[in-house]
């Protein structure tokens, strides 16, 4: 986007204070005794703008929320100060002691506990002059180069974090920045089970609300300064080769940005520039200004105090500009890519899914950028482009047998990445058959999106700690209606790649290594998995189950990826050319599912073209729904059951056919329980009655829709979407209600299996929602 940093583009606000103003407080925490005790340091600048001596009472209050809207005051401290007229002073509070503070953890590792810090100043004869408050998380972040992999390793509260995240470009290309959009963006990243966002150097330092939601949802932030391709002599027209035109102004903005962001628990590190280092003088100034306080240097334990050391520090760490986070000079230096600044990030094109698992796919420990395709759904193409842009690519067969995609000029302008790479990757969309039109092309592209991004993250996780410390995907979203790598479009409609990532990045995950065909279990948590089992079932296109096995009494150590067994079905007698694989990892004690993973696979040198006639299969479904609405906000719970006849398998694990995955954002069995337990139904109804005044529409009744079908088989690639009701539709109008937060989507069900999907959304005033279901072998139909 041109002119993205010209003129006044950020929020402008006016504030009124009394004679003494609070400026740029800095909060720092440190620990000892294995996180049982902590100290909070706080320094604040005060400016007396009056013409007389201000007799001040300066207070700091720390509260923790113990229940909804019930807070406990953990600390309250007041200091009396005299500030001369016109003076600008700095004051550090005596350190505050905490016993067993609630810790802040990244997404997937624990709760994001946040304390509310309030600093206020009262002036004698005036009253409260100014007040500042901020949510603050107690956590320790370490970052250093790992000896085993050569990649940069991050630890939070002493636990290594395997980084799986993405590159963030900008919330909106026209800088229409809003708290509501930020919340959706960041929650989407958390919903994908990501734990880091890289704020790319070609973007900007986002509004504080962005970092607030990173704090709330547990996304670590890699914050880059504004050094990229437009300040290094590249580009058309040629940019300034010596970095920013005004180096002093750049450093003024950099220091101001540090002060704005440094109190956020999610902020993990500072990086000088994208794929380059800043000019020598800027780089030296950033290194100096962002130097670590001795307490946070690696040799001192990065913020973990030896008992008795507190009080003996020469300098309060909150007096530093930051002092707690590592500064890395560029995105390919010091543990990222090859660590030396060579262009060793990427690649950015379609890949063979199995290649992500191979040892030679990427040679360095932490890849800051690896990207691929990002086609949205057809409705987005129609909503953003003229009819000339609805034409799908031409498939040009080359002399070597590979296919080159030739997109229309509008797609080319919007940075379309082809689904083929002549010479190394066969066209992944054509593997499902030649698309007939835009809808068919986009549906098949979603199949590829899911497989591509699940394989990318599963491939990296397969080598967790042995070869890699992390990966960031280029990129997660688009600030405009672009077609390059994305997991949701500019309207906030998720692609299937979103859910492929969500599956692959589960904290506890069962997966198939596509290079070795070995079944692996990933445990990124700090707890050992004991007494777990894996159910493995193969389903063919006729609806039969030619292979079934259970591997019992397994254990997986913390922070490990373990190979369990080889999946030998492809080597069996008469394997089917196209088949489905369902993996379930579960607790043997109560059959709770920890991870469920569904694959569609073909034999080597084969393709998925047999799935094309499978679209005519009519698989019966039963859909039970429950709706709760509060004003314009809806929560809908859908239980979807494949009611086709289940094969009678000896010892089949029928008890977990309902996918009740444990953990934040996982599958929810509450609707299934609701339908079976009328007493629980009544209890929930009584609870809801207490809040009846808050609800404009509320329904405890269940709606059941049955889709008839005489065939037996997998209900493949089911997809929910939310729309405005039919009577409000106009021909050609985009009827989607967005954003919608789904617990899962683009999912499949084997015979007899059922799953509940939870969705949350808001409707525009005066509109009513309709929920539609579509799938590979289902035309779109309204189910609610």
């Amino acid at each position: 986007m041109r002119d993205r940093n010209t003129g006044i583009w950020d929020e402008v606000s006016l504030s009124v204070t009394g004679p003494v103003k609070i400026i740029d407080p800095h909060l720092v925490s440190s620990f000892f005794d294995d996180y049982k005790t902590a100290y909070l340091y706080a320094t604040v600048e005060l400016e007396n703008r009056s013409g007389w001596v201000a007799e001040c009472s300066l207070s700091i209050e720390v509260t923790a929320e113990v229940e909804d809207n019930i807070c406990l005051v953990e600390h309250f401290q007041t200091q009396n100060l005299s500030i001369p007229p016109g003076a600008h002073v700095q004051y550090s509070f005596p350190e505050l002691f905490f016993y067993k503070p609630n810790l802040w953890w990244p997404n997937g590792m624990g709760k994001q506990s946040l304390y509310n810090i309030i600093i206020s100043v009262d002036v004698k004869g005036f009253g409260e002059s100014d007040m500042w408050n901020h949510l603050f998380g107690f956590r320790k972040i370490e970052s250093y180069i790992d000896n085993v992999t050569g990649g940069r390793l991050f630890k939070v509260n002493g636990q290594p974090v395997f980084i799986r995240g993405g590159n963030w470009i900008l919330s909106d290309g026209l800088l229409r920045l809003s708290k509501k959009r930020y919340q959706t963006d960041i929650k989407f990243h958390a919903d994908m089970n990501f734990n880091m966002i890289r704020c790319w150097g070609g973007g900007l330092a986002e509004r504080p609300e962005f970092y607030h939601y990173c704090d709330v949802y547990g996304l670590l932030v890699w914050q880059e300064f504004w050094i990229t391709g437009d300040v290094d002599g590249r580009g058309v027209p040629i940019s300034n080769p010596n970095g920013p035109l005004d180096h002093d102004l750049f450093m003024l903005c950099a220091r101001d940005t540090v002060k704005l962001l440094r109190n956020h628990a999610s902020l993990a590190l500072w990086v000088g520039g994208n794929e380059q280092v800043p000019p020598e003088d800027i780089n030296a100034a950033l290194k100096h200004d962002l130097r670590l306080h001795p307490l946070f240097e690696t040799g001192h334990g990065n913020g973990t105090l030896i008992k008795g050391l507190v009080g003996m520090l020469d300098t309060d760490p909150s007096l530093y500009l930051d002092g707690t986070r590592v500064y890395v000079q560029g995105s390919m230096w010091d543990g990222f890519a090859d660590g030396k600044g060579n262009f060793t990030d990427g690649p950015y094109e379609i890949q063979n899914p199995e290649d992500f698992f191979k040892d030679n796919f990427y040679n360095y420990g932490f890849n800051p950028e690896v990207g691929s395709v990002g086609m949205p759904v057809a409705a987005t193409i129609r909503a953003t482009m003229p009819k000339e842009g609805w034409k799908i690519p031409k498939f040009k067969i080359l002399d070597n047998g590979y296919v080159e995609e030739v997109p229309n000029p509008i797609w080319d302008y919007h940075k379309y990445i082809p689904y083929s790479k002549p010479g190394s990757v066969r066209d992944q969309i054509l593997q499902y058959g030649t698309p007939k039109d835009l809808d068919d092309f986009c549906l098949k592209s979603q199949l590829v999106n899911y497989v591509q991004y699940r394989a990318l993250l599963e491939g990296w996780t397969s080598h967790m700690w042995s070869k890699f410390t992390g990966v960031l995907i280029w990129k997660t979203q688009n600030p405009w209606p672009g077609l390059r790598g994305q997991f949701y479009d500019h309207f906030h409609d998720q692609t299937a790649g979103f859910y492929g990532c969500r599956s692959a990045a589960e904290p506890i995950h069962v997966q198939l290594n596509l290079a070795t065909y070995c079944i692996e279990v990933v445990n990124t948590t700090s707890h050992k998995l004991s007494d777990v089992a894996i159910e493995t079932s193969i389903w063919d296109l006729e609806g039969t189950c030619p292979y079934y096995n259970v591997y019992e009494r397994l254990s997986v150590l913390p922070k490990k990826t373990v190979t369990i067994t080889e999946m030998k079905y492809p080597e069996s007698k008469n394997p089917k050319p196209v088949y489905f694989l369902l993996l379930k990892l579960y607790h043997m004690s109560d059959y709770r599912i920890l991870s469920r993973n569904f694959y569609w696979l073909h034999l080597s040198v084969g393709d998925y073209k047999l799935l094309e006639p499978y679209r005519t299969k009519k698989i019966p479904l039963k859909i039970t729904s429950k709706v709760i609405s509060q004003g314009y906000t809806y929560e809908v719970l859908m239980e979807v059951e494949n009611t086709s006849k289940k094969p009678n398998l000896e010892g089949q694990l029928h008890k977990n056919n309902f996918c009740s995955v444990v953990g934040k954002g996982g599958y929810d069995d509450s609707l299934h329980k609701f339908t079976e337990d009328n007493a629980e139904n009544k209890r929930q109804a009584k609870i809801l009655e207490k809040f009846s005044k808050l609800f404009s529409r509320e329904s405890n009744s269940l709606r059941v829709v049955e889709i008839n079908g005489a065939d037996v088989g997998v209900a493949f690639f089911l997809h929910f979407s939310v729309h405005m009701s039919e009577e409000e539709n106009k021909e050609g109008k985009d009827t989607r209600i967005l954003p919608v937060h789904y617990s899962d989507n683009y999912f499949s069900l084997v015979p007899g299996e059922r799953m509940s999907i939870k969705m949350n959304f808001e409707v525009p005033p005066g509109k009513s929602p309709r929920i539609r279901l579509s799938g590979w072998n289902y035309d779109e139909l309204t189910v609610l």
Side-chain angles (χ1 to χ4, degrees):
M1 306 293 289
R2 297 190 183 278
D3 300 327
R4 64 182 180 274
N5 55 2
T6 300
I8 297 176
W9 56 267
D10 202 354
E11 182 179 283
V12 175
S13 60
L14 298 176
S15 60
V16 178
T17 69
V20 176
K21 178 176 174 59
I22 297 172
I23 302 173
D24 297 327
H26 187 198
L27 308 173
V28 175
S29 61
S30 59
F31 302 88
F32 67 82
D33 284 350
D34 198 22
Y35 303 98
K36 291 181 182 178
T37 53
Y39 284 90
L40 176 65
Y41 301 88
T43 293
V44 63
E45 298 176 38
L46 300 167
E47 182 182 5
N48 182 2
R49 298 182 173 183
S50 72
W52 61 87
V53 175
E55 299 295 336
C56 301
S57 175
L58 181 65
S59 300
I60 183 169
E61 178 183 287
V62 183
T63 61
E65 187 174 14
V66 291
E67 290 183 29
D68 291 342
N69 298 319
I70 300 176
C71 295
L72 173 68
V73 177
E74 299 245 352
H75 274 284
F76 184 82
Q77 187 182 104
T78 299
Q79 303 293 323
N80 295 320
L81 302 174
S82 295
I83 305 178
H88 192 286
V89 301
Q90 191 176 55
Y91 178 79
S92 297
F93 288 94
E95 60 269 13
L96 302 178
F97 176 80
F98 291 79
Y99 180 65
K100 290 186 177 180
N102 298 320
L103 300 181
W104 182 94
W105 291 95
N107 186 36
M109 295 182 69
K111 293 183 179 180
Q112 290 74 52
S113 298
L114 295 168
Y115 290 75
N116 190 32
I117 313 290
I118 301 174
I119 297 176
S120 61
V121 58
D122 285 13
V123 176
K124 186 176 180 180
F126 182 87
E128 184 177 271
S129 181
D130 200 4
M131 189 271 286
W132 175 92
N133 74 291
H134 203 286
L135 292 176
F136 181 79
F138 283 89
R139 92 288 181 268
K140 180 185 88 171
I141 293 182
E142 301 172 71
S143 174
Y144 55 85
I145 297 175
D146 177 48
N147 291 330
V148 175
T149 64
R152 182 159 289 275
L153 187 148
F154 291 86
K155 285 185 176 182
V156 176
N157 303 330
Q159 297 292 330
V161 184
F162 189 71
I163 298 297
R164 291 173 291 187
N167 285 268
W168 169 271
I169 307 306
L170 196 65
S171 178
D172 178 71
L174 297 178
L175 302 178
R176 296 166 293 188
L177 311 178
S178 73
K179 181 177 180 179
K180 191 171 184 179
R181 186 174 181 90
Y182 278 140
Q183 182 177 15
T184 298
D185 284 325
I186 304 308
K187 189 176 187 307
F188 272 3
H189 285 73
D191 287 346
M192 286 188 283
N193 291 310
F194 284 177
N195 53 26
M196 178 175 277
I197 293 180
R198 174 194 173 199
C199 287
W200 173 64
L204 47 80
E206 298 284 352
R207 294 292 309 147
E209 293 86 352
F210 172 92
Y211 304 90
H212 164 76
Y213 286 116
C214 288
D215 292 345
V216 168
Y217 292 113
L219 275 297
L220 295 170
V221 177
W222 158 333
Q223 183 62 50
E224 211 152 271
F225 292 105
W226 320 283
I227 301 291
T228 186
D230 54 0
V231 289
D232 67 349
R234 290 186 288 173
V236 179
I238 297 298
S239 62
N240 180 40
N242 191 33
L245 293 174
D246 189 330
H247 290 199
D248 290 337
L249 179 60
F250 181 94
M251 283 306 304
L252 178 67
C253 293
R255 294 184 184 105
D256 197 45
T257 297
V258 173
K259 292 176 181 179
L260 181 70
L261 306 182
R262 63 190 177 185
N263 294 313
H264 286 280
S266 56
L267 187 63
L269 82 160
W270 305 102
V271 177
N274 167 55
E275 297 180 335
Q276 60 189 291
V277 299
E280 185 175 349
D281 59 324
I282 291 178
N283 195 34
L286 288 171
K287 285 181 177 180
H288 175 268
D289 289 357
L290 295 173
R291 67 194 183 279
L292 292 173
H293 183 279
L295 181 61
F296 293 87
E297 293 174 353
T298 303
H300 290 274
N302 271 34
T304 304
L305 291 168
I306 301 171
K307 196 168 184 178
L309 178 62
V310 65
M312 299 173 60
L313 298 173
D314 292 335
T315 308
D316 185 319
S318 63
L319 289 169
Y320 276 53
L321 180 63
D322 183 339
T324 67
R325 299 172 180 87
V326 169
Y327 168 74
V328 176
Q329 60 185 348
S331 65
M332 300 187 298
W333 278 258
D334 302 325
F336 299 123
D338 73 349
K340 301 175 182 178
N342 297 306
F343 281 90
T344 46
D345 48 7
Y348 303 93
E349 317 96 344
I350 191 75
Q351 305 294 327
N352 295 305
E354 64 272 15
D355 289 348
F356 290 114
F357 295 83
K358 296 177 180 177
D359 286 338
N360 62 354
F361 181 74
Y362 189 70
N363 295 324
Y364 309 104
F366 193 119
N367 194 342
E369 296 182 17
V370 56
S372 190
V373 291
M375 194 67 190
V377 298
T380 294
I381 297 297
R382 293 191 177 98
T384 57
M385 298 180 187
K387 287 190 175 182
E388 294 81 359
W390 301 1
K391 297 177 182 177
I392 65 175
K394 296 178 180 178
F395 299 98
K396 179 181 178 183
I397 301 176
L398 304 180
D399 293 340
N400 60 5
Y402 284 87
V403 170
E404 177 186 357
E405 288 187 12
V406 183
N408 66 65
I410 296 176
W411 285 23
D412 191 50
Y413 176 80
H414 285 80
K415 307 299 181 185
Y416 172 77
I417 291 181
Y419 283 71
S420 66
K421 188 165 68 171
S424 58
V425 181
R426 303 287 179 182
D427 194 285
Q428 298 294 289
I429 287 180
L430 292 182
Q431 287 212 327
Y432 296 90
T434 303
K436 303 185 295 293
D437 52 26
L438 178 65
D439 291 285
D440 195 30
F441 181 91
C442 289
L443 176 59
K444 289 173 178 174
S445 72
Q446 297 315 310
L447 288 164
V448 181
N449 290 347
Y450 194 106
V451 172
Q452 183 77 179
Y453 286 108
R454 177 177 61 181
L456 189 160
L457 287 180
E458 288 184 340
W460 244 267
T461 309
S462 180
H463 298 282
M464 179 174 67
W465 307 129
S466 61
K467 185 175 175 63
F468 301 129
T469 60
V471 61
L472 299 177
I473 297 174
W474 182 268
K475 49 196 177 22
T476 57
Q477 45 76 243
N478 273 306
W480 71 309
L483 301 180
R484 190 173 182 177
Q486 60 185 347
F487 298 129
Y488 56 92
D489 61 35
H490 195 54
F491 297 114
H492 281 144
D493 199 351
Q494 300 97 325
T495 71
F498 182 105
Y499 299 97
C501 288
R502 179 184 176 83
S503 171
E506 293 174 308
I508 298 171
H509 183 62
V510 61
Q511 65 183 40
L512 179 69
N513 185 313
L514 296 179
T516 65
Y517 262 57
C518 287
I519 296 172
E520 301 171 338
V521 175
V522 178
N523 180 12
T524 66
T525 75
S526 57
H527 305 289
K528 179 181 178 181
L529 290 179
S530 299
D531 200 29
V532 297
I534 298 174
E535 181 193 48
T536 305
S537 57
I538 298 286
W539 301 82
D540 60 26
L541 300 184
E542 286 72 47
T544 64
C545 184
Y547 176 86
Y548 180 86
N549 207 344
V550 176
Y551 304 92
E552 297 183 320
R553 310 214 176 277
L554 306 174
S555 296
V556 183
L557 293 174
K559 311 292 182 181
K560 292 289 184 181
T561 298
V562 176
T563 299
I564 303 300
T565 186
E566 184 180 356
M567 205 276 287
K568 295 185 178 181
Y569 174 76
E571 301 171 4
S572 64
K573 186 177 181 180
N574 299 321
K576 299 300 175 71
V578 176
Y579 58 94
F580 303 110
L581 169 66
L582 177 60
L583 301 175
K584 293 181 182 178
L585 174 70
Y586 63 94
H587 279 297
M588 295 190 65
S589 60
D590 57 7
Y591 302 101
R592 283 181 302 142
I593 295 178
L594 296 166
S595 176
R596 175 190 183 274
N597 206 348
F598 182 88
Y599 295 85
W600 49 101
L601 301 164
H602 61 72
L603 298 180
S604 61
V605 306
D607 56 38
Y608 295 110
K609 290 179 182 177
L610 286 176
L611 285 174
E612 188 66 38
Y614 189 74
R615 298 173 89 159
T616 63
K617 288 267 189 177
K618 301 302 179 184
I619 312 298
L621 292 177
K622 179 181 178 181
I623 303 165
T624 307
S625 58
K626 177 177 181 292
V627 180
I628 297 176
S629 63
Q630 178 182 352
Y632 303 119
T633 301
Y634 282 73
E635 178 176 287
V636 180
L637 197 60
M638 292 273 190
E639 182 189 87
V640 187
E641 181 179 1
N642 180 340
T643 55
S644 64
K645 186 177 179 181
K646 181 171 57 180
N648 185 19
L649 296 172
E650 184 68 27
Q652 183 174 12
L653 187 60
H654 64 279
K655 292 184 180 180
N656 69 6
N657 275 340
F658 180 80
C659 303
S660 52
V661 172
V662 179
K664 176 182 176 182
Y667 306 108
D668 187 354
D669 64 353
S670 58
L671 182 60
H672 181 49
K673 293 176 180 175
F674 192 92
T675 60
E676 293 186 343
D677 188 347
N678 189 52
E680 178 64 11
N681 184 337
K682 292 178 180 177
R683 188 188 70 83
Q684 290 189 20
K686 287 181 179 179
I687 293 174
L688 292 172
E689 284 173 8
K690 295 180 181 180
F691 302 98
S692 60
K693 291 183 180 179
L694 297 176
F695 290 86
S696 59
R697 293 179 297 275
E698 176 184 321
S699 172
N700 283 323
S701 61
L702 301 177
R703 173 172 175 173
V704 178
V705 174
E706 295 197 30
I707 301 173
N708 296 322
D711 295 317
V712 176
V714 170
F716 184 49
F717 216 54
L718 302 174
H719 172 241
F720 282 114
S721 57
V722 183
H723 299 258
M724 289 179 283
S725 60
E726 283 79 358
E727 59 268 19
E728 298 161 352
N729 293 353
K730 295 180 181 178
E731 186 176 354
K733 181 181 178 182
D734 184 5
T735 63
R736 291 173 296 171
I737 293 175
L738 297 168
V740 181
H741 297 274
Y742 301 94
S743 62
D744 202 2
N745 221 341
Y746 294 101
F747 60 98
S748 303
L749 296 173
V750 302
E753 191 178 26
R754 59 179 171 233
M755 178 186 297
S756 74
I757 305 294
K758 184 182 290 185
M759 55 192 81
N760 298 87
F761 54 90
E762 292 184 12
V763 299
K767 305 296 182 181
S768 54
R770 293 291 179 266
I771 297 176
R772 299 178 188 171
L773 177 70
S774 60
W776 185 254
N777 39 355
Y778 299 90
D779 294 329
E780 187 175 75
L781 69 156
T782 300
V783 294
L784 182 64

